[in-house]
Amino acid sequence: MDEQMFCFQCEQAAHCTACTGKAGVCGKSADTAAAQDRLTGALISYASQLIGEGRAPAPEQALLLMEGLFTTITNVNFNNSTIKAIKTEVEQEKHRISSEKFEDYS
């Protein structure tokens, strides 16, 4: 089965609605669109965790959020390995701050 995408991220979106099929108008593959969606979800979860603790992100945490968001911008990075690496870094940082929170309760 061919991979299908649904991407309406940019101004190039087909018919001003969304790109579907194997690739977008910009050249992004369905694989890359899905990887960017997963990264965006991880970033939302990470930011929600930081905000839920009632504190502003530390500079290194804000930088990770910005790098992750920049990676999801259309025509900036179509390298799936890079997208996956940043998603892994976000998940590891989220886990690290969760662990710190539980250590405080010990």
Side-chain angles (χ1 to χ4, degrees):
M1 182 171 123
D2 292 334
E3 291 190 65
Q4 298 293 305
M5 71 186 311
F6 179 83
C7 182
F8 55 65
Q9 184 181 24
C10 72
E11 74 284 348
Q12 297 175 20
H15 311 291
C16 297
T17 56
C19 293
T20 57
K22 293 182 184 180
V25 173
C26 66
K28 182 192 309 181
S29 71
D31 237 9
T32 300
Q36 288 179 331
D37 287 347
R38 288 189 295 272
L39 174 56
T40 300
L43 290 165
I44 291 168
S45 177
Y46 178 48
S48 295
Q49 182 177 3
L50 291 172
I51 291 167
E53 293 176 359
R55 62 181 175 135
E60 64 275 5
Q61 293 167 330
L63 180 61
L64 179 57
L65 287 166
M66 286 187 290
E67 287 174 346
L69 289 170
F70 188 76
T71 300
T72 65
I73 297 172
T74 295
N75 296 334
V76 170
N77 191 336
F78 290 166
N79 184 317
N80 289 350
S81 297
T82 300
I83 296 166
K84 289 175 187 175
I86 293 173
K87 179 180 175 278
T88 298
E89 187 177 351
V90 168
E91 290 170 339
Q92 288 171 341
E93 176 62 11
K94 184 176 181 235
H95 179 72
R96 186 190 69 74
I97 62 175
S98 288
S99 297
E100 281 180 0
K101 186 169 132 182
F102 289 119
E103 288 173 9
D104 290 343
Y105 296 123
S106 300

